[in-house]
Amino acid sequence: MDNATDSGGAGYRRSAGSPRGEARRRELLAKITDDVAENGLVDFSLRRAARAAGTTHKVLLYHFESAEDLLRQVVVTLRERRVGNALAAGAGSSPTLAGRVRVAWESLREETQLRRVLDQAMGLAMYDPGRYAALGRGASQQYLPTLVSFCPEDWPEGRKLEVASMILAALRGFLVNLLIDDDLAAAGFEALLRAVEREEAAP
């Protein structure tokens, strides 16, 4: 990550608002996101991103404000993929909230490489918030709607948000525990499911 700021400033950015420029930006972002998903964030730089996209770092600065802006958009895109996978796995998989959460958890567990990259992003946000705070900002807003959608339809919106927030916080902790002790994560998850089942049974 030492070269992540080899941007030379944001003076090249001239494509905003152009349909053709936006299409090109999305194409570049998809290629760079694929590279980061496969190779992680270690040694990320504009030059590495340019190689992955088959272009130059100056072209990237035509479409992105800086290396940090590009990296932020990559992380957001990776989270969208993760949310989409969990939603596809959990939605309609079970008539109960606990069942949907279990299926989504199994999907998250299996995404070893994607999980590793997003853990790296959160680590950077905690290690150097002055530089990388944007990598962690908005993460909850991306994940919460999926968990809210798993809740029973007849619940009040406030209750859905409360329970979804609890599940999100717990799953984050369990995903970290997977790096240390898989059995510990599994035990904690089973306790979470019992709590969710009690919540579902409550009037």
Side-chain angles (χ1 to χ4, degrees), residues 135-193:
L135 298 185
R137 191 179 301 126
S140 295
Q141 285 69 24
Q142 285 187 265
Y143 293 131
L144 271 176
T146 295
L147 294 172
V148 167
S149 74
F150 287 176
C151 294
E153 292 183 2
D154 60 345
W155 279 6
E157 292 304 314
R159 185 180 181 187
K160 290 180 183 179
L161 181 60
E162 290 171 355
V163 174
S165 298
M166 175 190 72
I167 295 170
L168 175 60
L171 291 183
R172 278 178 168 164
F174 301 150
L175 287 171
V176 172
N177 279 344
L178 285 176
L179 302 173
I180 305 167
D181 189 328
D182 188 81
D183 291 338
L184 184 64
F189 179 73
E190 291 303 322
L192 170 66
L193 284 189

Side-chain angles (χ1 to χ4, degrees), residues 65-131:
E65 294 179 359
S66 62
E68 285 79 8
D69 174 54
L70 173 58
L71 186 57
R72 178 189 63 80
Q73 294 193 43
V74 165
V75 170
V76 167
T77 303
L78 287 173
R79 287 198 189 110
E80 288 174 348
R81 292 183 183 180
R82 187 186 216 182
V83 169
N85 292 344
L87 181 60
S93 62
S94 169
T96 68
L97 172 59
R100 292 170 186 169
V101 172
R102 181 182 291 280
V103 173
W105 167 249
E106 293 302 327
S107 173
L108 293 173
R109 281 174 55 95
E110 291 170 2
E111 293 175 348
T112 306
Q113 181 66 15
L114 183 55
R115 187 175 75 241
R116 181 177 69 86
V117 176
L118 292 174
D119 285 346
Q120 289 174 348
M122 293 303 293
L124 285 171
M126 291 186 287
Y127 174 74
D128 190 350
R131 186 176 181 185

